[in-house]
Amino acid sequence: MIWGSEAAGVAAYGRIENSARDLLRYRLGGFTLIEDGVALADDATLWVADAELRPAYAWDLGAHAWWLHDNTGGNGGSFGSGPTSQLSQLQGGPRLVFLNSSASTGTGTATAAEVDADLLWFSVDAGWNRDLDRGPLGLRGMALANLGRLYVTDQPDVDVRGWLLNGELRWRWTRGRGSELALQGLASSGDSSGSGGGSATDDGRYTGIVTGNSYGIVGAVWATHNTLLLFPDPDAINRQVAVVSDVSGAGRGLLAATLSLGFDPIPNRLTTRLTAAQAATASGQAIGTETGAALTWHPLPLFDVGLHGAVVTGARVADMTATSPATAPLTTLPAYPWAVLAHLQWVLF
Amino acid sequence: MIAALLSSLMACAPRYNHLPALSPADITAPLPTQSMVVDTASLAGVRIAYIDSRQAGIQPRDPDATPLVFVHGLSSSMGFWEYQLNHLAAERRVLALDLPGYGASSRPDAPYTPPWYSEVLTAWLDQLGLDRVVIVGHSMGGQVALTFALRHEDRVAGLVLAAPAGFERFSTGEAAWMKNYWHEERALEAREDELRATFTQVVFNHHDEGVERLLRERVQLGRDPSFRGTSVAVSRSIAGMLDYPVIDRLGEIRAPTLIVFGKDDRMIPNPVFTGGRTETIAKIGRDAIDGAQLVMLPGAGHMVQHDDPEGFNQALLWFLAGQVHTARQRPAPTGSTLSDTFGDAVSAAVSAAVRDGASQ
């Protein structure tokens, strides 16, 4: 488990198999994501239970339940922790703002309130031939519910009620691993209740989702979109340049679709790919559109050299420095953000 | 595409892992199986299962024609020639054997290399009293046939290489990787889902009842204690093909040669180490073997003789009629390919057959 934090823990893995396949794989684990004072109960811990069932040839079903218990008060680590943290701001997560009243502090200045949290993620997923090794067509989908509660010092609790859906269709249309048409869609809920000038949590509820990005660097990356700029490229070490870095859409929710068409002119050696992607907030405000192309050479097993290019049009992102970033107006980026990326990937083991 | 997707989703793959173990002696064979124990200095006691259309009482149209000998590939058996043996037995005497380590033959502690299999072929043919034959080899059987032809030039009236191994060059590191992966327990570890994926997505391009039967037999054989010997044979056969390459000796082949590949072969070239198109590899072999003819069959994969039996059998009969009977009397066009002429004709015939089948 990679959370980009000081996470440490223990997990048990197991499986039940027969002579046809692994029928069930599971993981049970507990991790301390943030350990502040060693003797203090001011940590963030994560408990996970994952199960993957393979009921029949080419089918797999998954169920996951994760519970994050955050006692850090939002003060864990160097950048803070949780949905009020600078981590959320840096990672494109939902940065929520809770201020103590100036009267309560006695200083005449509003300061950030401490926020603890219990967050639950329940998800189910299903796939049919998801790795395209059982035929040319593959499908997969996932549904997630993000529930929980934020405990704000001297203020009413805030309930978290978010959801996310993701689906993908893949078709290997001719010879070669890269000769693939992939269509993917993602939708996550947002919260626009404070868009009139208040905060998203003024109504005592937050209906967007909170991701692991609020508790560690790039803990929740959407990795299969094939874009460079609109969403973070999972192959790039620096992922901070994406227009949308977190599937919460910085609290606004996300509607995204990506389409990529690949072709191997030399099967399994040279791959070309064209990609188009579009993203909008859950309420339909356009965030940006990317078009891109890639050329990848696979001269050796597990060794790739590639050249990628992409341009984004109409990009607008959240102003994370606003008083209430999750509801502040979207800010327009330079007219045509573009990127050219050369990559070399060599998997050694 | 949507229809294909829905059809695939609704299809329920049969399960065989609940079936009892299958003894190699009970494997389905296209003709009644014979058995002999070869008795040479180096091969004493090796039992070979084989079929012989003459011993089966089949009267061919041309009983004096040079016999056809079919040699299967890696992890296969005589049954993989099911669409050839009965059909061609009507034309001339045909024989096929289970290479030791596979099918109903014995599983000795042997090298299982192409040179060793060449010795096996020699001993078997000697014992049958066959001096000169046309050898049809598939995949590994193709490399065995090439090795035999290099060692016994005078005994080979013709070579038919079906998706043969031996035309690719692998580096020392790649060979080491493959040998390491295909250790002697590897085939034992393969589970039914993996076998089904390999059969339907890698080895065969056309999925029919024959493929399903071969898959069922493979799953059941895997439960029989004798399969440990097959697993060893698979491992050593792969190492043997890598350790005894023929690619640099293809120019020494003197027998009239027909090479048949499926255009959509997913095993050749090796998708991990070589990549590229099958035709590229096929032409390497055609250009290296003097006078070799090449037929590329559209739509067929690695098991070309099964994926396109009509096209394969037509090509084989054409070759036998035009090449072997006149062995070397009519010079073959150097470096020619039949894919522009004969291959297209075969393709057209197959397309028509597919069309007819689809309309029924």
Side-chain angles (χ1 to χ4, degrees):
Chain A
M1 152 174 267
I2 300 170
W3 274 73
S5 71
E6 55 206 45
V10 62
Y13 297 81
R15 65 179 178 179
I16 298 170
E17 61 180 325
N18 67 9
S19 61
R21 65 182 74 91
D22 286 349
L23 297 171
L24 174 69
R25 295 176 183 166
Y26 60 86
R27 175 180 72 162
L28 300 170
F31 306 87
T32 299
L33 300 182
I34 294 164
E35 171 71 57
D36 271 349
V38 173
L40 301 176
D42 57 356
D43 305 328
T45 53
L46 177 70
W47 301 90
V48 299
D50 301 301
E52 181 186 84
L53 186 68
R54 296 193 169 181
Y57 181 74
W59 278 101
D60 58 82
L61 306 170
H64 312 268
W66 290 20
W67 169 39
L68 191 150
H69 182 59
D70 175 9
N71 267 347
T72 64
N75 300 316
S78 304
F79 296 98
S81 51
T84 62
S85 70
Q86 280 186 298
L87 271 178
S88 270
Q89 177 175 327
L90 291 168
Q91 309 283 357
R95 189 174 185 201
L96 306 177
V97 176
F98 298 96
L99 296 175
N100 289 313
S101 67
S102 54
S104 69
T105 60
T107 62
T109 306
T111 57
E114 292 200 339
V115 179
D116 290 336
D118 276 310
L119 295 168
L120 294 157
W121 293 273
F122 297 107
S123 74
V124 291
D125 60 80
W128 183 83
N129 187 30
R130 64 166 66 200
D131 297 322
L132 293 190
D133 58 352
R134 310 276 156 104
L137 288 161
L139 278 175
R140 61 182 171 181
M142 188 262 276
L144 176 143
N146 180 198
L147 309 174
R149 181 161 292 177
L150 307 178
Y151 310 104
V152 189
T153 306
D154 296 332
Q155 295 183 33
D157 295 344
V158 174
D159 287 333
V160 176
R161 299 283 184 272
W163 55 264
L164 182 146
L165 297 171
N166 177 231
E168 183 185 47
L169 168 69
R170 297 166 71 192
W171 176 38
R172 181 163 294 137
W173 58 281
T174 189
R175 188 167 180 166
R177 281 193 300 273
S179 298
E180 185 183 319
L181 176 73
L183 175 63
Q184 191 168 179
L186 184 144
S188 67
S189 62
D191 194 322
S192 58
S193 58
S195 55
S199 165
T201 56
D202 284 350
D203 58 355
R205 287 196 313 164
Y206 172 64
T207 55
I209 58 172
V210 179
T211 74
N213 283 339
S214 298
Y215 289 89
I217 295 173
V218 288
V221 176
W222 178 21
T224 53
H225 46 71
N226 286 323
T227 69
L228 269 187
L229 290 172
L230 195 58
F231 306 107
D233 176 9
D235 288 331
I237 293 170
N238 182 350
R239 300 189 178 99
Q240 313 307 321
V241 295
V243 177
V244 181
S245 293
D246 184 278
V247 290
S248 69
R252 289 165 174 73
L254 187 62
L255 294 171
T258 69
L259 176 67
S260 74
L261 176 63
F263 173 55
D264 280 8
I266 305 174
N268 304 311
R269 277 293 170 269
L270 188 68
T271 299
T272 57
R273 192 174 64 223
L274 297 172
T275 300
Q278 188 154 33
T281 65
S283 60
Q285 280 187 284
I287 296 177
T289 301
E290 175 174 324
T291 50
L295 179 69
T296 309
W297 180 40
H298 319 282
L300 298 168
L302 308 176
F303 185 97
D304 293 340
V305 181
L307 184 65
H308 311 247
V311 61
V312 172
T313 53
R316 299 192 304 164
V317 297
D319 178 4
M320 301 301 281
T321 62
T323 305
S324 179
T327 54
L330 296 177
T331 304
T332 303
L333 279 174
Y336 296 104
W338 59 271
V340 174
L341 170 72
H343 93 267
L344 185 152
Q345 179 173 290
W346 189 8
V347 179
L348 296 170
F349 54 89
Chain B
M1 188 179 81
I2 301 296
L5 175 62
L6 291 175
S7 160
S8 301
L9 285 170
M10 298 304 288
C12 192
R15 295 275 306 279
Y16 302 126
N17 65 335
H18 63 285
L19 297 176
L22 180 72
S23 163
D26 296 327
I27 297 174
T28 309
L31 291 169
T33 304
Q34 318 290 322
S35 177
M36 74 160 64
V37 177
V38 290
D39 187 22
T40 68
S42 57
L43 296 170
V46 174
R47 183 170 47 79
I48 298 173
Y50 67 98
I51 54 184
D52 179 352
S53 62
R54 179 172 291 177
Q55 291 185 43
I58 299 175
Q59 293 299 318
R61 214 180 320 274
D62 184 357
D64 298 325
T66 312
L68 274 174
V69 169
F70 288 84
V71 184
H72 65 76
L74 184 75
S75 204
S76 309
S77 66
M78 297 183 287
F80 284 68
W81 297 110
E82 64 177 333
Y83 296 145
Q84 279 69 51
L85 296 175
N86 276 305
H87 181 71
L88 294 162
E91 302 294 328
R92 63 174 69 200
R93 183 181 181 187
V94 298
L95 302 100
L97 79 165
D98 280 339
L99 292 172
Y102 305 101
S105 290
S106 62
R107 288 147 174 76
D109 183 14
Y112 295 108
T113 60
W116 183 79
Y117 277 131
S118 174
E119 276 187 61
V120 170
L121 270 181
T122 308
W124 176 61
L125 293 173
D126 285 348
Q127 216 150 310
L128 287 167
L130 292 169
D131 292 331
R132 195 166 163 80
V133 295
V134 176
I135 300 188
V136 187
H138 173 248
S139 195
M140 178 186 80
Q143 187 166 342
V144 170
L146 284 163
T147 306
F148 182 82
L150 288 166
R151 292 175 159 222
H152 305 284
E153 180 184 328
D154 55 324
R155 300 190 70 167
V156 181
L159 268 182
V160 178
L161 306 173
F167 290 173
E168 280 180 87
R169 199 183 293 279
F170 296 105
S171 70
T172 306
E174 289 165 349
W177 190 94
M178 280 188 267
K179 289 180 196 175
N180 190 46
Y181 180 79
W182 283 102
H183 57 81
E184 295 193 349
E185 305 281 312
R186 178 69 187 90
L188 280 170
E189 295 168 356
R191 293 188 286 180
E192 183 173 341
D193 279 8
E194 183 187 345
L195 292 170
R196 175 171 291 282
T198 302
F199 269 59
T200 60
Q201 303 303 319
V202 181
V203 180
F204 294 90
N205 275 22
H206 292 170
H207 189 182
D208 62 9
E209 287 179 7
V211 175
E212 210 53 46
R213 177 177 54 74
L214 292 167
L215 174 60
R216 187 183 65 242
E217 287 185 351
R218 167 62 184 84
V219 171
Q220 290 185 269
L221 282 169
R223 300 166 70 88
D224 189 79
S226 67
F227 196 75
R228 182 165 294 278
T230 299
S231 187
V232 170
V234 168
S235 173
R236 295 182 187 177
S237 295
I238 290 169
M241 284 188 280
L242 295 163
D243 290 340
Y244 295 91
V246 290
I247 188 166
D248 292 323
R249 298 190 61 195
L250 295 176
E252 300 171 34
I253 298 289
R254 292 290 168 263
T257 301
L258 171 68
I259 303 165
V260 186
F261 269 100
K263 270 191 177 175
D264 195 21
D265 189 321
R266 297 174 208 173
M267 294 187 75
I268 297 176
N270 183 300
V272 176
F273 295 117
T274 308
R277 297 189 181 284
T278 304
E279 197 155 357
T280 306
I281 300 299
K283 286 178 177 173
I284 289 172
R286 181 203 64 188
D287 294 344
I289 299 173
D290 185 28
Q293 306 283 335
L294 171 62
V295 171
M296 300 293 302
L297 293 176
H302 188 63
M303 205 59 71
V304 57
Q305 76 275 24
H306 191 285
D307 287 339
D308 185 357
E310 287 181 31
F312 184 85
N313 292 345
Q314 282 185 50
L316 180 52
L317 288 170
W318 173 87
F319 174 74
L320 294 172
Q323 296 290 330
V324 178
H325 273 292
T326 59
R328 286 292 170 190
Q329 292 169 12
R330 188 185 69 178
T334 303
S336 70
T337 175
L338 297 177
S339 54
D340 296 335
T341 54
F342 180 77
D344 285 352
V346 169
S347 170
V350 172
S351 298
V354 169
R355 227 178 14 252
D356 292 346
S359 65
Q360 288 172 357

